[in-house]
Amino acid sequence: LHFKVDAGQTTIHICQKVGAVPYDLVGHTVWSSSDDLIHLMEHQGLVRGKRILELGSGTGICGIAAAVFGANLVVLTDWAPIHQKLSLNSEGDLEQTPPLQTSSILSLLH
């Protein structure tokens, strides 16, 4: 299932998974609160010029939006089972954004 959000002048397409057991859905789903956070980042300028570390990024939608809204660096993290989808979403065709780095939590801890 794909999710689309308009972030300023940019449309972000996110791949998400639905229909799994509840604990499995946590990192594969775009939560409705993401819309609120994206709105705050866009209208309050919260991330412009900042370095962002997003812990438990899940689909990566908020971190990707932070890059769109002017963050200097964005690092997206989650546990290994989520990392493949997170990497896929962060490799979208977003021009004029800083590089997005992804890492599983386990690799950050070692």
Side-chain angles (χ1 to χ4, degrees):
L1 180 66
H2 290 271
F3 178 84
K4 181 180 103 172
V5 64
D6 291 321
Q9 301 297 316
T10 303
T11 299
I12 302 170
H13 296 273
I14 295 294
C15 183
Q16 64 178 340
K17 178 180 176 182
V18 295
V21 293
Y23 68 86
D24 190 32
L25 280 176
V26 173
H28 291 283
T29 302
V30 175
W31 296 92
S32 58
S33 58
S34 299
D35 244 359
D36 296 330
L37 182 55
I38 290 168
H39 180 77
L40 282 172
M41 286 190 286
E42 179 178 16
H43 296 288
Q44 300 296 320
L46 296 176
V47 296
R48 182 164 303 284
K50 304 267 172 52
R51 294 178 294 169
I52 305 298
L53 171 62
E54 185 180 10
L55 301 174
S57 302
T59 62
I61 186 71
C62 291
I64 294 167
V68 168
F69 295 135
N72 287 342
L73 171 70
V74 178
V75 177
L76 307 171
T77 66
D78 215 310
W79 66 314
I82 305 294
H83 192 255
Q84 182 179 5
K85 189 165 303 279
L86 177 59
S87 293
L88 174 71
N89 285 336
S90 68
E91 292 170 359
D93 56 346
L94 298 174
E95 296 179 13
Q96 301 175 352
T97 62
L100 293 163
Q101 300 176 12
T102 63
S103 182
S104 71
I105 294 295
L106 293 178
S107 67
L108 286 175
L109 296 176
H110 289 98

